Amino acid sequence: QVHLVESGGGLVQPGGSLRLSCTPSGIAYSIDTMGWFRQAPGKQRELVATITSGGTRNYADFAEGRFTISRDNLKNTLYLQMNSLKPEDTAVYYCNARVVALSGAKVDTWGQGTQVTVSS
């Protein structure tokens, strides 16, 4: 089983920056697309950004131009660089990975989340 652990969250002032990391561990055939999602209190979980194993990136409108998603293809470590943070970015941020098991089955795997709070 593959596990994902997020880190890098914390408290930051508006306009500040944070870099989130997601570290996979375990055994699988491969990891395809990875992404970041977030969930604010009382709201649905929403997509922030995704990146394929080939490096194709997609961003939510609120993230475009401010956030950058990247990955280390050797280790499959996932990153999210967040700049120009706003109070509305406050949420729990979750790492997601499309894991290809040894059987060939594809399973969406989630991390435990890391809290990002943007406040003065």
Side-chain angles (χ1 to χ4, degrees):
Q1 188 176 27
V2 171
H3 295 86
L4 305 174
V5 179
E6 302 98 333
S7 63
L11 176 64
V12 65
Q13 293 184 338
S17 298
L18 285 173
R19 192 189 194 204
L20 307 183
S21 299
C22 171
T23 302
S25 64
I27 299 174
Y29 181 79
S30 65
I31 297 178
D32 193 10
T33 301
M34 302 183 75
W36 290 97
F37 294 72
R38 71 184 189 184
Q39 188 167 19
K43 295 186 178 181
Q44 290 278 104
R45 188 172 298 186
E46 63 182 344
L47 173 73
V48 178
T50 61
I51 183 168
T52 69
S53 59
T56 300
R57 297 170 171 87
N58 287 286
Y59 295 94
D61 288 344
F62 63 79
E64 185 71 49
R66 296 192 298 132
F67 298 177
T68 302
I69 189 170
S70 60
R71 70 192 286 179
D72 180 328
N73 283 334
L74 184 60
K75 299 184 294 184
N76 281 310
T77 301
L78 184 71
Y79 304 97
L80 184 68
Q81 178 67 46
M82 302 187 292
N83 299 325
S84 302
L85 284 163
K86 307 172 182 179
E88 51 263 45
D89 294 319
T90 296
V92 177
Y93 284 71
Y94 296 91
C95 177
N96 173 265
R98 177 65 58 85
V99 177
V100 182
L102 296 179
S103 67
K106 297 181 179 180
V107 180
D108 281 340
T109 302
W110 295 90
Q112 84 288 351
T114 185
Q115 177 71 48
V116 172
T117 302
V118 185
S119 177
S120 59

